[in-house]
Amino acid sequence: MRIVPLVNSLFTVCLLAVITALVIMMTRTGYNDKVSHTCFILMSAAGFLLLARAAFQSDEEGGKAK
């Protein structure tokens, strides 16, 4: 099973959710602690997904070379 496309999809969903939350916070509600904390958690998850994607890509490339 290829895991990199799944990680890419999750990363895209995280980034879209963060952008949507920031737009909502800036246009409608103003600063909101709950939305801000949610954005922080989502960006942390996106960073973790970037690291996971790099690790899985290097594993897949190593498997092809053998």
Side-chain angles (χ1 to χ4, degrees), residues 29-40:
T29 61
Y31 180 77
N32 187 345
D33 277 339
K34 290 182 181 180
V35 176
S36 178
H37 292 157
T38 303
C39 287
F40 175 76

Side-chain angles (χ1 to χ4, degrees), residues 1-63:
M1 181 177 124
R2 299 201 124 220
I3 193 109
V4 174
L6 174 66
V7 174
N8 286 340
S9 299
L10 290 173
F11 177 70
T12 303
V13 169
C14 277
L15 284 182
L16 289 175
V18 168
I19 291 169
T20 303
L22 288 174
V23 167
I24 288 171
M25 190 167 56
M26 288 171 48
T27 59
R28 290 188 181 172
T29 61
Y31 180 77
N32 187 345
D33 277 339
K34 290 182 181 180
V35 176
S36 178
H37 292 157
T38 303
C39 287
F40 175 76
I41 291 167
L42 286 171
M43 284 305 291
S44 299
F48 174 75
L49 287 170
L50 278 176
L51 292 173
R53 183 177 73 168
F56 287 128
Q57 278 182 341
S58 66
D59 284 346
E60 287 182 0
E61 289 172 0

